[in-house]
Amino acid sequence: MSLPQSEGPDSQGPHSPLPRRRTGIPEATVARLPVYLRVLGGLAETGVTTVSSDALAVAAGVGSAKLRKDLSHLGSYGTRGVGYDVEYLVYQISRTLGLTQHYSVVIIGVGNLGHALANYAGFASRGFQIVALIDSDPRRVGEDINGLEVRHLDELETVVKEHEVSIGVIATPAASAQDVCDRLVSAGVTSVLNFAPIVLAVPDTVDVRKVDLSIELQILAFHEQRKSAGPPASLEVGAG
Amino acid sequence: MSLPQSEGPDSQGPHSPLPRRRTGIPEATVARLPVYLRVLGGLAETGVTTVSSDALAVAAGVGSAKLRKDLSHLGSYGTRGVGYDVEYLVYQISRTLGLTQHYSVVIIGVGNLGHALANYAGFASRGFQIVALIDSDPRRVGEDINGLEVRHLDELETVVKEHEVSIGVIATPAASAQDVCDRLVSAGVTSVLNFAPIVLAVPDTVDVRKVDLSIELQILAFHEQRKSAGPPASLEVGAG
DNA sequence: AGCGCTTTGTGCACCTGTTCACAAAGTCCT
DNA sequence: AGGACTTTGTGAACAGGTGCACAAAGCGCT
């Protein structure tokens, strides 16, 4: 067990210790593709059939050059002088991200957060299917959440193998997160999304991404502090 | 209203369009400091008083050189041949991140996720105090969550000014997120943590960080696809 | 068909961040 | 005190990512 937190190039550390540079697609680009995908989905709903890199870039909150370079990594799917066909681009991005495949997801930990995740609609919409909810508390086992019955932690391995689960979502307290992770990995799970405030140790073959509320707040705090202290930084000299 | 999603250098896009390079501390480093802080806290609890960059790096899941360089940005607080004093380092990182100050936080949207956030203990532990929970649904107003009464969206501006809220957490559906964000910004909030699956438009003076479950899953999907498709990639040629 | 307009795709320079490798600096033992 | 050992802090090379600026390419109008 080594410690390669896979960290996407965006919200997490840039590229991972796994230099899985098999495709030429940079990690930073991969992290942005889902954003483009979402924006394109919104455009498609409003009947837009074609979009320029400029328009799409504004909607996605990135520079247009960056967007074009990102898209160029998946091929030349634009038409010069016109822009990109929305529907076609949606398809190409989906395909590139692997969303045309099906992924079975298991959520471990059915506390507040687990409940929220289980009810999150965005899960199913992109080929991710929650196949099981798992908790170690016997009192929670059997509860019905969003049409899915909570099962006991003892069944984790069974569930993973039964449904060929590839992605595990850890929403347990920090204390049990590493244990759960180890069991997921042993059972064959190769991707983990970790909500517990802990650095997980996994083999190099497993990808881990973390979502950490507390860290995000602390980063905001840093900038917030800067705002109040920084700007009028000149009268400070005599005032200190 | 422009579109600078502040994107930390990690899970989100590298550095932001706000080149707030007032201090010499790189964004990538800022994003890691909270991790070090957490690990150091754990060490302190187990009675460790001194730690080497190697040990700390392993526990934090980064390389030791990177860790030392990170720490060197806040000063020379280590002792050669010995390591770092845990308690002192905790203090220095806290100070750098601005955690010695107090931040008032308001959460908008008390659905599943809002509930989870309101009950999250990690909030209070680092100087963040949730001063209000807000929802637009009259049926939820008045509910007591973790000792805090849910107030109506109409009171948002009042609450923000009353408590000098600096950080707003948006946990509403995507449809209302931009509205809520605009109101937060108008009321004077300068940092936003967004859980809604949408790209928020804010003035350059406001920092936005996003936490997007769906995006994280899609990034995992990309790597997952790569794992299953990549390695034996050679029979494909004739199969197409 | 030709011309001008629009927009893509990309070469290049810049910049941020990572990693290596080592000198500087301190501790501990004799 | 002196020397061996440990560990920090950092200079320098490298890698990855961003943004500019423009040539290439397609559209539509005349």
Side-chain angles (χ1 to χ4, degrees), chain A residues 3 9-13 23 27 38 58 96-97 123 190-191 207 209 212 216-217 223-227, chain B residues 3 9-13 23 27 38 58 96 123 190-191 207 209 212 216-217 223-227:
Chain A
L3 283 174
D10 192 12
S11 171
Q12 320 202 19
T23 79
E27 276 298 309
R38 175 178 294 152
V58 168
T96 301
L97 285 174
F123 254 123
T190 47
S191 292
D207 273 324
R209 290 191 67 86
D212 196 315
E216 298 301 322
L217 278 177
H223 293 301
E224 193 63 31
Q225 171 199 39
R226 187 138 307 292
K227 283 176 208 163
Chain B
L3 282 174
D10 192 15
S11 168
Q12 319 201 15
T23 81
E27 276 298 309
R38 175 178 295 152
V58 168
T96 302
F123 254 124
T190 47
S191 292
D207 273 324
R209 290 192 68 86
D212 196 313
E216 297 301 323
L217 278 177
H223 294 301
E224 193 62 32
Q225 171 201 38
R226 186 139 308 293
K227 283 175 207 164

Side-chain angles (χ1 to χ4, degrees), chain A residues 3 7-14 20 22-23 27 30-31 34-35 37-38 58-61 95-99 101 103 112-113 116-117 119-120 123 126 128 166-167 190-193 195 197-199 205 207 209-227 230-231, chain B residues 3 7-14 20 22-23 27 30-31 34-35 37-38 58-61 95-99 101 103 112-113 116-117 119-120 123 126 128 166-167 190-193 195 197-199 205 207 209-227 230-231:
Chain A
L3 283 174
E7 309 188 343
D10 192 12
S11 171
Q12 320 202 19
R20 187 171 293 106
R22 192 71 51 98
T23 79
E27 276 298 309
V30 171
V35 177
L37 194 53
R38 175 178 294 152
V58 168
R95 201 177 51 79
T96 301
L97 285 174
L99 303 181
Q101 295 178 33
Y103 299 95
N112 282 303
L113 180 59
L117 297 178
N119 285 300
Y120 179 49
F123 254 123
R126 299 241 184 262
F128 301 100
S166 49
I167 302 179
T190 47
S191 292
V192 173
L193 182 52
F195 285 87
I198 193 187
V199 179
T205 50
D207 273 324
R209 290 191 67 86
K210 64 174 188 293
V211 172
D212 196 315
L213 177 55
S214 171
I215 287 180
E216 298 301 322
L217 278 177
Q218 289 173 55
I219 296 173
L220 283 176
F222 174 80
H223 293 301
E224 193 63 31
Q225 171 199 39
R226 187 138 307 292
K227 283 176 208 163
Chain B
L3 282 174
E7 308 188 342
D10 192 15
S11 168
Q12 319 201 15
R20 187 172 294 105
R22 193 69 53 96
T23 81
E27 276 298 309
V30 171
V35 177
L37 194 53
R38 175 178 295 152
V58 168
R95 200 176 51 78
T96 302
L97 286 173
L99 303 181
Q101 296 178 32
Y103 299 94
N112 282 304
L113 180 60
L117 299 177
N119 284 300
Y120 180 50
F123 254 124
R126 300 244 184 259
F128 301 101
S166 47
I167 301 179
T190 47
S191 292
V192 173
L193 182 52
F195 286 86
I198 193 188
V199 179
T205 50
D207 273 324
R209 290 192 68 86
K210 65 175 188 295
V211 172
D212 196 313
L213 176 55
S214 172
I215 287 180
E216 297 301 323
L217 278 177
Q218 290 173 54
I219 296 172
L220 284 176
F222 173 81
H223 294 301
E224 193 62 32
Q225 171 201 38
R226 186 139 308 293
K227 283 175 207 164

Side-chain angles (χ1 to χ4, degrees), chain B residues 36-237:
Chain B
Y36 304 154
L37 194 53
R38 175 178 295 152
V39 172
L40 286 167
L43 290 175
E45 274 181 19
T46 63
V48 177
T49 60
T50 286
V51 67
S52 71
S53 64
D54 250 309
L56 186 51
V58 168
V62 303
S64 64
K66 190 190 285 190
L67 181 129
R68 285 198 300 277
K69 187 151 285 185
D70 282 344
L71 295 184
S72 76
H73 287 297
L74 21 144
S76 267
Y77 298 134
T79 306
R80 295 161 124 109
V82 177
Y84 300 87
D85 181 86
V86 172
E87 198 181 347
Y88 187 52
L89 195 52
V90 164
Y91 168 70
Q92 289 299 343
I93 295 179
S94 297
R95 200 176 51 78
T96 302
L97 286 173
L99 303 181
T100 49
Q101 296 178 32
H102 173 92
Y103 299 94
S104 293
V105 177
V106 61
I107 297 178
I108 300 97
V110 192
N112 282 304
L113 180 60
H115 267 84
L117 299 177
N119 284 300
Y120 180 50
F123 254 124
S125 69
R126 300 244 184 259
F128 301 101
Q129 190 194 352
I130 304 177
V131 297
L133 304 174
I134 292 182
D135 204 291
S136 64
D137 186 342
R139 287 168 301 183
R140 282 207 174 106
V141 174
E143 185 184 347
D144 186 290
I145 300 175
N146 211 17
L148 222 54
E149 190 188 346
V150 176
R151 301 174 69 172
H152 191 268
L153 184 56
D154 291 344
E155 301 185 68
L156 187 142
E157 286 79 4
T158 311
V159 166
V160 167
K161 285 170 183 166
E162 188 179 313
H163 292 90
E164 294 187 0
V165 170
S166 47
I167 301 179
V169 176
I170 298 180
T172 67
S176 25
Q178 184 65 60
D179 276 351
V180 167
C181 179
D182 289 347
R183 290 179 61 177
L184 282 171
V185 170
S186 297
V189 169
T190 47
S191 292
V192 173
L193 182 52
N194 178 34
F195 286 86
I198 193 188
V199 179
L200 291 175
V202 295
D204 292 353
T205 50
V206 175
D207 273 324
V208 177
R209 290 192 68 86
K210 65 175 188 295
V211 172
D212 196 313
L213 176 55
S214 172
I215 287 180
E216 297 301 323
L217 278 177
Q218 290 173 54
I219 296 172
L220 284 176
F222 173 81
H223 294 301
E224 193 62 32
Q225 171 201 38
R226 186 139 308 293
K227 283 175 207 164
S228 49
S234 47
L235 329 180
E236 286 286 337
V237 185

Side-chain angles (χ1 to χ4, degrees), chain A residues 15-216:
Chain A
H15 58 101
S16 85
L18 336 178
R20 187 171 293 106
R21 191 52 25 98
R22 192 71 51 98
T23 79
I25 304 188
E27 276 298 309
T29 295
V30 171
R32 281 186 297 266
L33 288 178
V35 177
Y36 304 153
L37 194 53
R38 175 178 294 152
V39 172
L40 286 167
L43 289 175
E45 274 181 20
T46 63
V48 177
T49 61
T50 285
V51 67
S52 72
S53 64
D54 249 311
L56 186 53
V58 168
V62 303
S64 64
K66 190 190 285 190
L67 181 128
R68 285 198 300 276
K69 189 153 288 188
D70 281 344
L71 295 184
S72 76
H73 287 295
L74 20 143
S76 269
Y77 298 133
T79 307
R80 291 165 192 244
V82 178
Y84 300 87
D85 181 85
V86 173
E87 198 181 346
Y88 187 53
L89 196 51
V90 164
Y91 169 70
Q92 289 298 345
I93 295 180
S94 296
R95 201 177 51 79
T96 301
L97 285 174
L99 303 181
T100 50
Q101 295 178 33
H102 172 92
Y103 299 95
S104 293
V105 178
V106 61
I107 298 178
I108 300 97
V110 193
N112 282 303
L113 180 59
H115 266 84
L117 297 178
N119 285 300
Y120 179 49
F123 254 123
S125 69
R126 299 241 184 262
F128 301 100
Q129 190 195 352
I130 304 179
V131 297
L133 305 174
I134 292 181
D135 203 291
S136 64
D137 186 343
R139 288 168 300 184
R140 283 209 173 103
V141 173
E143 183 184 347
D144 186 291
I145 300 176
N146 211 17
L148 223 53
E149 189 187 347
V150 176
R151 301 175 69 173
H152 191 268
L153 184 57
D154 291 343
E155 301 185 69
L156 186 142
E157 286 78 7
T158 312
V159 167
V160 166
K161 284 169 184 166
E162 189 178 312
H163 292 90
E164 293 186 2
V165 170
S166 49
I167 302 179
V169 176
I170 299 180
T172 67
S176 27
Q178 183 64 60
D179 276 350
V180 167
C181 180
D182 289 346
R183 290 179 61 177
L184 283 171
V185 170
S186 297
V189 169
T190 47
S191 292
V192 173
L193 182 52
N194 178 35
F195 285 87
I198 193 187
V199 179
L200 290 176
V202 297
D204 292 353
T205 50
V206 176
D207 273 324
V208 177
R209 290 191 67 86
K210 64 174 188 293
V211 172
D212 196 315
L213 177 55
S214 171
I215 287 180
E216 298 301 322

